[in-house]
Amino acid sequence: MTVEIRYFAWVRERVGTEAETLDLPEGTQTVSDLLSWLKNRDERFAHAFEDMDTIRVALDQEHSEHDQLIGNAREIAIFPPMTGG
Amino acid sequence: MTVEIRYFAWVRERVGTEAETLDLPEGTQTVSDLLSWLKNRDERFAHAFEDMDTIRVALDQEHSEHDQLIGNAREIAIFPPMTGG
Amino acid sequence: MSGPITPKVLIQAEDFDAAAEAGALSAGRKDVGALVTFTGLCRDEDGRLSALELEHYPGMAEAEITRIAKEACSRWPLTGLTVIHRFGKIAPGGNIVLVAAASSHRRAAFEAADYLMDFLKTRAPFWKKEHLKEGSEGSWVEAKTIDDDAAKRWTPG
Amino acid sequence: MSGPITPKVLIQAEDFDAAAEAGALSAGRKDVGALVTFTGLCRDEDGRLSALELEHYPGMAEAEITRIAKEACSRWPLTGLTVIHRFGKIAPGGNIVLVAAASSHRRAAFEAADYLMDFLKTRAPFWKKEHLKEGSEGSWVEAKTIDDDAAKRWTPG
């Protein structure tokens, strides 16, 4: 499954890229599966995702929980807690 | 004791005057004493004060309770519940 | 902050410029993070009213609103507070009251403006009389229990 | 009222005119009794900051704020609702966010504006980075537990 991944704020700074297109490995079902896989890619990702509880994810521009299924989402965004307003 | 009494809104309309200077009778100690005495003056006052619970009073421009002592107040205002804002 | 600021309170027949009053609370400042403005306007009540007439108690109106505004300034860390209440005849769509509260943080600005409005409704010596478009003379607006209840929210217990 | 109104939502780098936006919600109308405007401004944090930089998620920012705004419109009987959130670099004293809510009655306008701000803080995809006047690069503003708690006030139970 091919998805577009986008990173924002300090997650973006730590992983060193704004966006990338990735083929998810077999068996990547939930948001949590994806995050664990990304965390093991290299040191930058390990650093970005060191405190998994602070990581927020949106599937196709809607907020999602870590235990949610990725399903057919085409755009997955990963970012820290929001500080707008 | 001589006081200036002011009436507002429908209390003013019912009693038929905006303000008057009155000598309070001996023994008029509380706001309630004053209201009872006024109520017995004539039919207009009886009508204005028929539902005593709705009557609000300010002593020298400060909200007061019916059981409060009039003391040295020079200006006593009598009016319905406020509807500003 | 070196203690509560002094609120600006105006009781007037003339219209006010809500935008200018609100803008004045943040203009040239870098410590204001939140500005809450409440404007109360005259409704025509589904076309029923030609105007509202606001009677007030001169002197006490300013004194009482100043008391309420000062209480808000001592209760919340405001950087600015302006309260304007009009009296006289006001046509539908016209301004009646303005509360503008500025603070470093939004919670203080929101709560102070909300508090002011609750107490203006129940304690400021103003009385509204309706003027009807058709028919007989209008009547005095009745005070609402809901307003008393709203004001009670601010008293602990 | 014939059902919820459609809110106006803008995500933009340009500044906004809070007064004009608020005024547009009551102009020419006679059914608006209450207009609450919240403006969030950039503070310099006691002279420490030269600017705040707001990163946002284009597309989702508008979608998410529209969801929150529509939720407010279905929850309160609003006659108008405008939400504007800026992104990019904003200097101290500059505008960041505007919420303007109009209704027949003040409680609805106050609550809707308050609700909007609570959920913008916790759900709108914006991130603030501080730029310091002196010294090294600034850091990302941390999310506050107090904001999460504020947002939870609106959920029953």
Side-chain angles (χ1 to χ4, degrees), chain A residues 57-64 68, chain D residues 57 60 64 67 123:
Chain A
V57 175
L59 299 177
D60 286 339
Q61 308 194 350
E62 292 210 35
H63 290 298
S64 306
Q68 208 159 316
Chain D
Y57 182 175
M60 179 171 170
E64 185 64 23
R67 279 191 283 270
R123 294 187 65 90

Side-chain angles (χ1 to χ4, degrees), chain C:
Chain C
M1 299 262 302
S2 53
I5 50 106
T6 301
K8 173 180 174 180
V9 173
L10 295 173
I11 312 298
Q12 61 188 40
E14 310 84 66
D15 197 8
F16 53 77
D17 182 342
E21 296 296 340
L25 294 183
S26 64
R29 301 188 65 139
K30 296 176 175 177
D31 59 341
V32 176
L35 178 57
V36 171
T37 305
F38 176 90
T39 313
L41 301 118
C42 177
R43 283 174 282 122
D44 71 355
E45 305 292 356
D46 299 320
R48 208 165 46 79
L49 300 193
S50 65
L52 273 181
E53 182 152 13
L54 278 104
E55 180 170 334
H56 79 302
Y57 181 177
M60 181 172 169
E62 185 158 14
E64 184 64 22
I65 293 182
T66 299
R67 279 192 283 269
I68 299 166
K70 282 187 173 170
E71 174 67 27
C73 289
S74 69
R75 200 160 164 164
W76 288 279
L78 304 179
T79 57
L81 177 63
T82 297
V83 184
I84 304 178
H85 205 308
R86 293 179 67 196
F87 58 85
K89 216 167 183 176
I90 297 174
N95 291 318
I96 297 174
V97 62
L98 172 77
V99 171
S103 180
S104 293
H105 297 283
R106 81 181 190 289
R107 181 62 38 218
F110 259 117
E111 289 188 358
D114 200 6
Y115 173 93
L116 253 297
M117 282 309 304
D118 281 344
F119 283 91
L120 287 184
K121 289 260 174 195
T122 53
R123 295 187 66 90
F126 287 81
W127 300 270
K128 292 192 184 106
K129 187 172 197 171
E130 299 183 337
H131 287 262
L132 304 181
K133 267 191 185 156
E134 293 172 27
S136 61
E137 200 189 355
S139 56
W140 293 94
V141 172
E142 278 197 56
K144 294 186 191 119
T145 312
I146 194 175
D147 291 327
D148 289 329
D149 293 344
K152 280 180 197 140
R153 294 181 303 151
W154 303 100
T155 312

Side-chain angles (χ1 to χ4, degrees), chain D residues 81-96:
Chain D
L81 177 62
T82 297
V83 184
I84 304 178
H85 204 308
R86 292 179 69 197
F87 59 84
K89 215 166 182 176
I90 297 174
N95 291 317
I96 297 174

Side-chain angles (χ1 to χ4, degrees), chain A residues 10-59:
Chain A
W10 56 252
V11 171
R12 170 181 57 70
E13 287 181 345
R14 289 186 187 180
V15 303
T17 187
E18 287 187 19
E20 56 183 332
T21 304
L22 287 180
D23 278 318
L24 300 189
E26 286 285 320
T28 308
Q29 298 204 307
T30 65
V31 166
S32 192
D33 294 340
L34 169 65
L35 294 176
S36 301
W37 176 66
L38 287 171
K39 187 174 181 174
N40 287 317
R41 276 170 99 197
D42 63 30
E43 282 185 7
R44 304 190 69 126
F45 279 86
H47 177 48
F49 298 158
E50 68 188 1
D51 183 2
M52 212 57 116
D53 284 352
T54 66
I55 301 297
R56 301 284 181 271
V57 175
L59 299 177

Side-chain angles (χ1 to χ4, degrees), chain D:
Chain D
M1 299 264 304
S2 54
I5 50 105
T6 301
K8 173 180 175 182
V9 173
L10 295 173
I11 312 299
Q12 62 189 38
E14 310 83 69
D15 197 9
F16 54 75
D17 182 343
E21 296 295 340
L25 295 183
S26 64
R29 301 188 66 138
K30 296 175 176 180
D31 58 342
V32 176
L35 178 57
V36 171
T37 304
F38 176 91
T39 313
L41 302 116
C42 177
R43 284 173 282 122
D44 71 355
E45 304 292 358
D46 298 319
R48 210 165 44 80
L49 301 192
S50 64
L52 272 181
E53 182 152 12
L54 279 104
E55 181 171 332
H56 79 301
Y57 182 175
M60 179 171 170
E62 185 158 14
E64 185 64 23
I65 293 181
T66 300
R67 279 191 283 270
I68 300 166
K70 282 187 172 169
E71 174 67 27
C73 289
S74 68
R75 200 159 165 164
W76 289 278
L78 304 180
T79 58
L81 177 62
T82 297
V83 184
I84 304 178
H85 204 308
R86 292 179 69 197
F87 59 84
K89 215 166 182 176
I90 297 174
N95 291 317
I96 297 174
V97 61
L98 172 77
V99 170
S103 180
S104 294
H105 296 284
R106 83 181 188 289
R107 181 65 32 220
F110 259 117
E111 290 188 356
D114 200 7
Y115 173 92
L116 253 296
M117 281 310 303
D118 280 346
F119 283 91
L120 287 185
K121 288 261 175 194
T122 54
R123 294 187 65 90
F126 287 81
W127 300 271
K128 291 191 186 109
K129 187 172 197 171
E130 299 183 337
H131 287 263
L132 304 181
K133 269 192 187 158
E134 293 173 27
S136 60
E137 201 189 353
S139 56
W140 293 93
V141 172
E142 278 196 56
K144 294 186 191 119
T145 313
I146 194 176
D147 290 328
D148 289 329
D149 293 346
K152 281 181 196 137
R153 293 183 300 153
W154 303 99
T155 312

